[in-house]
């Protein structure tokens, strides 16, 4: 299972739905449910965008929660499970014993929740994640989300003297912004890098490479001296290579490279730094450093082959350890290292990290208890709840320092060390959530690149073409972000 | 008495007609309206934008790419499936020529009949997952069998290779469809009087001639129906592609079909208006295909 929305924008959906669709022979029939939804709601005008339940504001209750209003929480039932949410709901219950809490954990949010949004009757807080999340840009455009600034300005639940805003890791607030307004709270803090078995590397005397030249040399050595392949990857989901490409590009010329892409700047996909990164990655398949058959493997299949020692490196994010914990052999000691520098002249140091927050929590504007939803997020952002999340999921949260004192395995520790070493040198991108079709085009192009069907220059041209199309399309809401 | 009878009939007719109107006709009607809007599908907000969605559809390379794949499926899947099904069905009934006397099927015909029908019992989801395993490049059955047969050079990534993926999908469509049509044609062949075949045999007709001159003309009605059904399946293929292929629809859109493109626009890109326009386009395509097939294949019915 996959915690991060960003990972499999489209993965495998559940079966019964497909069964229904199969029977709806012609796709003409496919759209009929949509019509039905509209019939009952469009003409009815949906719900009112009102305030919902409201209680008295006090020091104990800074968000003015109505203590007796019921709260409905919808959690994405993915790699992070739902246990952490139940823990947080218990805290809510302790604070507001009169409130009834309705909890559900589902996987296909779009299909389950879309009709409720149209009807003006959405839940109070949603973990809008997974493969079938709701398009946040579209929700923002339709004014369906609550501005989170009141939450960010409220005092933290258990970190005394600080506003919620001040307890967040760098970048988290920015990532929740659409335009000037904070609409999304990205709760899990995902860090991306290359994974390897530290015990294997020690045994063979291999050094984790810091530059791409060293990487290619090591690949050569690995394939010469063992029957392992140097790399494998989650071939069905080429987006795992996005992080390698984007990380290396940002290291060459700074985070601006990614900001230009996000802002749809002209020729952003033809930036020389990006070109160098794509050329670098292209060397892997060109020199035969990618395990045979990788193109056809799912993420779990590829990761399993890697755990079985068929390949030395695999690109992934900080969730990998918890994702594979059931089948990781004893003594494998997986660790994550940052992506390599391309040259000594790179602007960012080797330690710099791609860190993209995930698990997009939103509070619908038309929920009956939006204030309760905000309060639930305030609870989640308490040090106590954040620590519990890390304990349960082996992943970091948006709350700065909440992982202190935890030791959950070699992978978790390596991620924490990497993040400390990176310091302020973290960077991210937004275009995957802002412009999903652009992200999808990059997936297709990257797949073709790794299969050596296209050249790096073709890759850049393809992505640029899509970016130009989106820039020109007035029907798509555009966003900008500033450096820093 | 008479009055009571009408009330009886009306009482039975009204509820289903009402349900049909509400759940089938009215959504269809609204589909045509939504296709003219920019509805995102997330709120009650929508603007009427005329034929803009259809104009975009005409210019949309990804849509034509998907349609081309459906076209390819349409050309290949029905033809191959029906050819195979006809071959199997006639072998099951008329293939045996033991001692050259009676008209009968090949040895073990009953057994084969059951085996061919197996895939039909499985749900499409099971079939898709099953074949995903078969096509797995590292541990899959297909590559394994190729190795055993000494054909290791034919090993491929199948679903991971854009030049093979659509063919891999077609193979599964044929595999899963053929059994049903074997049974269908089998029943039709058994309805043909035996003496016609025996007469042909006495006249010295070989198996091929018997098939062409006797079996096929008498089966034409069934073949025609099969073409319509398979044509509709080829225009859809949504479920199999959605479950089995990478992406789904990949790699690199090489298995994208119109139904999946519609789905993607609706549920991933929050473009319900546009998705609905695709649905309307497919509605007319499917309808024309059905009419066209029935027209083109219309023949004089053979009486016997």
């Amino acid at each position: 299972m996959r915690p991060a929305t960003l990972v499999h924008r489209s993965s495998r959906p559940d079966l019964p739905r497909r069964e229904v669709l199969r029977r709806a022979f012609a796709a003409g029939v496919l759209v009929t449910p949509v019509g039905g939804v509209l019939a009952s709601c469009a003409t009815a005008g949906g719900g009112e965008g009102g305030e919902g339940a409201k209680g008295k504001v006090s020091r104990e209750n800074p968000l003015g929660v109505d203590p007796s209003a019921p709260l409905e929480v919808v959690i994405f039932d993915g790699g992070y499970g739902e246990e952490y949410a139940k823990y947080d709901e218990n805290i809510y219950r302790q604070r507001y014993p009169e409130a009834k809490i309705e909890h559900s954990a589902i996987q296909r949010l779009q299909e389950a929740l879309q009709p409720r949004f149209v009807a003006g009757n959405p839940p109070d807080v949603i973990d809008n994640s997974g493969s079938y999340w709701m398009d946040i840009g579209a929700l923002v455009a339709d004014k369906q989300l609550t501005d989170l600034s009141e939450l960010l300005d409220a005092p933290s639940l258990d970190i005394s003297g600080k506003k919620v805003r001040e307890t967040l890791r760098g970048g988290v607030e920015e990532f929740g912004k659409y335009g000037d307004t904070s609409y999304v709270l990205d709760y899990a803090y995902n860090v991306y890098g290359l994974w390897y078995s530290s015990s294997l590397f020690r045994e063979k005397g291999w050094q984790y490479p810091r530059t791409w030249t060293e990487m290619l040399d090591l690949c050569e050595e690995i394939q010469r001296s063992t029957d392992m392949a140097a790399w494998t990857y989650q071939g069905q989901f080429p987006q795992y290579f996005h992080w390698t490409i984007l990380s290396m590009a940002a290291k060459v010329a700074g985070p601006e490279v990614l900001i230009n892409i996000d802002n749809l700047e002209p020729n952003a996909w033809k930036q020389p730094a990006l070109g160098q990164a794509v050329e670098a990655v292209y060397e892997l398949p060109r020199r035969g450093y990618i395990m045979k058959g990788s193109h056809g493997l799912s993420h779990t299949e590829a990761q399993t082959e890697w755990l079985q020692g068929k390949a030395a490196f695999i690109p992934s994010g900080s969730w990998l350890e918890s994702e594979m914990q059931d089948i990781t052999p004893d003594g494998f000691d997986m660790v994550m290292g940052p992506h390599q520098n391309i040259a000594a002249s790179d602007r960012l140091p080797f330690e710099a990290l791609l860190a993209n927050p995930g698990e997009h929590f939103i509070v619908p504007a038309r929920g009956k208890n939006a204030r309760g939803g905000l309060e639930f997020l305030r609870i989640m952002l308490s040090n106590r709840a954040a620590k519990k999340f890390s304990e349960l999921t082996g992943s970091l949260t948006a709350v700065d320092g909440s992982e202190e004192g935890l030791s959950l395995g070699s992978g978790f520790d390596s991620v924490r060390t990497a993040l400390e070493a990176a310091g302020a040198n973290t960077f991210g991108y937004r275009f995957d959530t802002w412009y999903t079709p652009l992200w999808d085009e990059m997936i297709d192009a990257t797949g073709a690149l790794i299969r050596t069907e296209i050249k790096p220059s073709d890759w850049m041209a393809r992505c640029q073409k899509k970016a130009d199309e989106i820039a020109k399309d007035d029907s798509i809401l555009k966003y900008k972000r500033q450096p820093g | 008495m008479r009055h009571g009878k009408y009330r009886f009939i009306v009482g039975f007719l009204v509820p289903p007609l009402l349900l049909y109107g509400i759940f089938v006709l009215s959504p269809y009607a609204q589909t045509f309206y939504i296709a003219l809007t920019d509805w995102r599908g997330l709120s009650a907000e929508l603007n009427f934008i005329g034929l803009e969605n259809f104009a975009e559809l005409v210019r949309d390379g990804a849509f034509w790419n998907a349609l081309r794949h459906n076209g390819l499926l349409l050309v290949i899947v029905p033809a191959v499936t029906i050819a195979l099904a006809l071959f199997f069905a006639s072998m099951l009934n008329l293939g045996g020529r033991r001692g050259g006397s009676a008209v009968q099927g090949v040895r073990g015909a009953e057994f084969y009949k059951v085996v061919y029908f197996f895939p039909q019992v499985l749900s499409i989801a099971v079939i898709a997952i099953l074949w995903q395993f078969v096509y797995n490049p590292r541990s899959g059955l297909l590559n394994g069998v190729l190795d055993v047969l000494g054909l290791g050079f034919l090993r491929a990534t199948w679903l991971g290779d854009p030049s093979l993926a659509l063919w891999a999908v077609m193979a599964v469509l044929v595999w899963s469809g053929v059994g049903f049509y074997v049974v269908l044609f089998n029943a039709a062949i058994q309805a043909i009087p035996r003496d016609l075949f025996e007469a042909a045999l006495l006249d010295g007709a070989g198996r091929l001639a018997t098939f062409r001159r006797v079996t096929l003309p008498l089966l034409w009605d069934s073949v025609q129906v099969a073409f319509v059904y398979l044509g509709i399946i080829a225009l859809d293929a949504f479920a199999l592609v959605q479950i089995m292929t990478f992406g789904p629809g990949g790699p690199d859109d090489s298995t994208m079909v119109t139904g999946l493109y519609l789905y993607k626009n609706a549920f991933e890109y929050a473009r319900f208006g546009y998705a609905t326009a695709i649905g309307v386009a497919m509605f007319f395509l499917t309808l024309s295909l059905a009419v066209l097939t029935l027209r083109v294949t219309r023949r004089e019915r053979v009486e016997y």
Side-chain angles (χ1 to χ4, degrees):
Chain A
M1 286 312 300
R2 169 56 352 100
T5 306
L6 325 166
V7 183
H8 297 162
R9 190 55 187 75
S10 29
S11 178
R12 6 218 53 107
D14 64 358
L15 309 182
R17 169 79 188 176
R18 289 191 213 111
E19 191 52 26
V20 173
L21 291 169
R22 179 174 79 94
R23 289 177 185 166
F25 274 138
V29 184
L30 242 174
V31 293
T32 51
V34 178
V37 168
L38 192 73
S40 52
C41 308
T43 45
E48 293 301 307
E51 261 278 285
K54 193 167 182 182
K56 242 179 115 175
V57 178
S58 68
R59 252 188 61 195
E60 263 305 287
N61 185 3
L63 292 167
V65 178
D66 175 355
S68 61
L71 179 76
E72 186 182 355
V73 183
V74 175
I75 296 297
F76 166 62
D77 188 11
Y80 294 130
E82 53 172 322
E83 283 313 308
Y84 72 90
K86 288 183 176 161
Y87 179 85
D88 301 340
E89 284 156 16
N90 266 333
I91 301 181
Y92 191 96
R93 212 169 274 130
Q94 282 158 19
R95 292 177 59 79
Y96 308 102
E98 290 168 62
K100 254 178 63 185
I101 298 180
E102 198 180 322
H103 165 100
S104 47
I106 55 177
Q107 290 186 342
R108 297 170 71 95
L109 285 107
Q110 162 87 35
E111 288 160 16
L113 298 181
Q114 184 206 6
R116 296 190 51 189
F117 270 97
V118 179
N121 173 35
D124 302 312
V125 57
I126 303 168
D127 171 12
N128 183 27
S129 302
S131 310
Y132 285 85
W133 63 338
M134 281 167 294
D135 186 322
I136 295 178
L139 285 172
V140 171
D142 277 354
K143 301 180 189 63
Q144 290 279 11
L145 300 183
T146 302
D147 179 353
L148 301 183
S149 48
E150 224 177 315
L151 161 73
L152 297 173
D153 284 327
S156 162
L157 198 66
D158 65 356
I159 305 170
S160 57
K162 283 198 175 173
K163 289 178 178 175
V164 168
R165 191 192 302 277
E166 295 159 358
T167 65
L168 301 178
R169 273 183 225 276
V172 172
E173 189 187 342
E174 192 217 324
F175 267 80
K177 278 192 172 165
Y178 279 71
D180 292 329
T181 319
S182 295
Y183 284 118
V184 180
L185 172 75
D186 291 314
Y187 190 61
Y189 196 74
N190 295 324
V191 181
Y192 300 83
L194 284 181
W195 289 80
Y196 60 100
S197 157
S198 59
S199 55
L200 175 77
F201 272 53
R202 235 186 342 266
E203 181 200 319
K204 302 277 184 188
W206 295 334
Q207 278 289 322
Y208 184 77
R210 295 169 65 93
T211 66
W212 198 249
T213 319
E214 286 173 29
M215 167 58 87
L216 294 176
D217 288 348
L218 180 59
C219 290
E220 209 270 316
E221 190 194 328
I222 290 171
Q223 303 212 148
R224 185 168 30 95
S225 63
T226 68
D227 54 5
M228 292 174 93
W231 282 59
T232 184
Y233 81 113
Q234 300 79 345
Q236 294 187 17
F237 307 101
Q239 52 267 50
Y240 281 79
F241 257 117
H242 289 187
W243 305 316
T244 309
I245 293 172
L246 296 173
S247 293
M248 292 209 293
K251 286 188 184 190
V252 171
E256 291 75 20
V257 178
L258 308 186
I259 295 175
N260 290 337
I261 292 175
D262 286 345
N263 288 350
L264 300 174
E265 298 293 345
N267 288 326
W269 292 88
K270 299 194 168 164
Q271 297 175 91
L274 190 60
Q276 285 182 39
V278 181
E279 293 274 359
V281 164
Y282 183 63
E283 284 304 302
L284 294 174
R286 207 183 63 83
R287 299 188 186 194
Y289 292 156
I290 291 181
M291 184 181 81
K292 275 216 166 61
S294 295
H295 308 317
L297 299 180
S298 73
H299 59 296
T300 40
E301 286 164 354
Q303 287 157 196
T304 305
E305 300 260 354
W306 169 74
L307 286 173
Q308 290 169 349
K310 306 270 172 58
F313 290 109
I314 192 163
S316 189
S318 41
W319 61 84
L320 182 67
E321 185 176 40
S322 58
E323 184 173 47
M324 303 308 287
Q325 60 184 354
D326 293 341
I327 58 163
T328 305
D330 284 339
F332 188 83
D333 291 343
M334 67 168 83
V335 291
M336 191 197 84
H339 286 106
Q340 282 67 29
N341 278 121
I342 288 183
S345 56
D346 277 7
R347 248 191 69 196
L348 297 183
F350 163 70
E351 287 78 16
L353 272 186
L354 173 62
N356 245 31
E359 293 302 282
H360 316 292
F361 278 82
I362 52 174
V363 178
R366 289 173 180 180
K368 289 195 188 65
N369 189 9
R371 302 198 154 267
L374 291 175
E375 177 74 357
F376 184 76
L377 293 186
R378 195 167 77 100
I379 290 169
M380 289 186 69
L381 290 170
S382 68
N383 199 45
R384 178 181 157 200
K387 184 161 269 167
K388 190 72 186 178
F389 178 88
S390 292
E391 250 178 76
L392 288 168
T393 65
S395 296
L396 300 169
T397 67
V399 183
D400 200 15
S402 59
E403 73 282 4
E404 256 165 49
L406 290 176
S407 182
L408 300 167
S410 58
F412 183 83
D413 294 347
S414 73
V415 167
R416 188 169 54 186
T417 316
L419 198 58
E420 277 161 15
N425 282 319
T426 59
F427 48 85
Y429 55 85
R430 300 291 305 278
F431 69 98
D432 60 326
T433 47
W434 286 353
Y435 313 113
T436 312
L438 182 56
W439 177 255
D440 284 357
E441 180 69 13
M442 186 179 169
I443 292 176
D444 287 347
T446 305
L449 181 87
I450 304 297
R451 293 188 301 266
T452 63
E453 292 154 14
I454 61 171
K455 297 249 179 318
S457 56
D458 306 323
W459 183 93
M460 293 163 82
R462 269 184 74 166
C463 295
Q464 187 58 52
K465 184 164 168 267
K466 193 72 186 182
D468 290 341
E469 274 173 31
I470 289 170
K472 263 191 286 184
D473 189 337
D474 296 334
S475 69
I476 300 171
L477 215 57
K478 305 295 192 317
Y479 305 97
K480 291 274 180 218
R481 70 185 180 108
Q482 307 301 325
Chain B
M1 179 63 199
R2 171 147 293 208
H3 185 66
K5 191 175 100 187
Y6 280 125
R7 205 156 53 191
F8 183 74
I9 292 172
V10 167
F12 269 97
L13 275 183
V14 165
L17 282 178
L18 212 63
L19 287 175
Y20 188 78
I22 291 171
F23 290 108
V24 179
L25 293 182
S26 119
Y28 260 106
Q30 286 174 67
T31 299
F32 287 89
Y33 170 65
I34 296 170
L36 305 176
T37 71
D38 65 353
W39 194 41
R40 286 197 193 85
L42 292 168
S43 71
E45 241 177 76
L46 77 180
N47 302 305
F48 184 79
I49 55 167
L51 291 173
E52 236 172 77
N53 282 332
F54 292 96
E56 188 184 339
L57 207 55
V58 174
R59 292 191 307 263
D60 186 350
F63 171 70
W64 289 106
N65 175 52
L67 205 58
R68 213 183 34 163
H69 292 154
N70 278 118
L72 210 57
L73 292 181
L74 187 61
V75 170
I76 292 171
V77 172
V80 174
T81 311
I82 290 173
L84 277 175
L86 279 173
F87 172 73
F88 289 140
S90 54
M91 287 308 276
L92 288 178
N93 285 286
L94 317 162
R97 285 279 159 98
R98 260 161 291 157
S101 57
V103 174
Q104 56 188 344
V106 292
R107 210 176 299 224
E110 284 307 311
F111 172 71
Y112 289 129
K113 226 180 282 177
V114 174
V115 169
Y116 291 142
F117 200 70
F118 269 161
Q120 205 58 41
V121 189
L122 302 175
S123 102
I124 192 80
V126 175
I127 290 173
I129 304 278
L130 201 79
W131 278 88
Q132 243 176 6
F133 286 117
V134 173
Y135 284 137
N136 182 303
R138 300 212 23 119
S139 54
L141 184 69
L142 185 53
N143 277 347
V145 167
L146 287 174
D147 273 346
V148 170
L149 295 178
L151 297 170
F153 61 93
L154 285 176
R155 286 177 70 104
T157 7
W158 307 115
L159 294 170
D161 184 339
S163 59
L164 293 176
L166 190 63
W167 298 98
V169 170
M170 284 190 215
V172 177
L173 277 174
V174 170
W175 176 85
S176 63
V178 101
F180 177 79
Y181 295 98
V182 168
V183 172
L184 184 79
F185 296 149
N186 183 56
I189 289 176
Q190 282 175 356
I192 301 172
R194 292 271 116 176
D195 34 348
L196 285 179
F197 294 114
E198 277 161 15
L201 191 66
L202 287 177
D203 290 343
R207 274 185 248 192
L208 193 65
T210 315
F211 176 76
R212 270 190 42 215
R213 300 288 164 86
V214 183
T215 321
L216 191 57
L218 293 176
L219 280 185
W220 196 251
D221 275 351
S222 307
V223 172
Q224 197 181 355
V225 169
F227 259 110
V228 176
Y229 278 175
L230 284 164
I232 289 172
I233 287 172
L235 279 188
D236 173 23
F238 169 81
L240 185 67
V241 170
Q242 154 91 327
I243 307 170
M244 193 174 76
T245 65
F246 302 168
D252 205 0
D253 280 353
S254 59
T255 54
M256 182 60 75
V257 289
T258 328
L260 185 61
Y261 189 60
L262 179 160
Y263 183 84
K264 229 177 146 147
N265 271 286
F267 292 101
E268 274 181 38
Y269 301 155
R271 302 191 64 197
F272 267 80
Y274 190 57
T276 315
I278 299 174
V280 169
M282 283 185 73
F283 171 77
F284 283 116
L285 273 175
T286 314
L287 205 65
S288 346
L289 175 85
V291 173
L292 205 72
T293 314
L294 291 173
R295 279 275 159 81
V296 168
T297 56
R298 183 177 292 166
R299 283 198 190 179
E300 199 95 339
R301 213 199 184 109
V302 186
E303 302 284 346
Y304 51 83

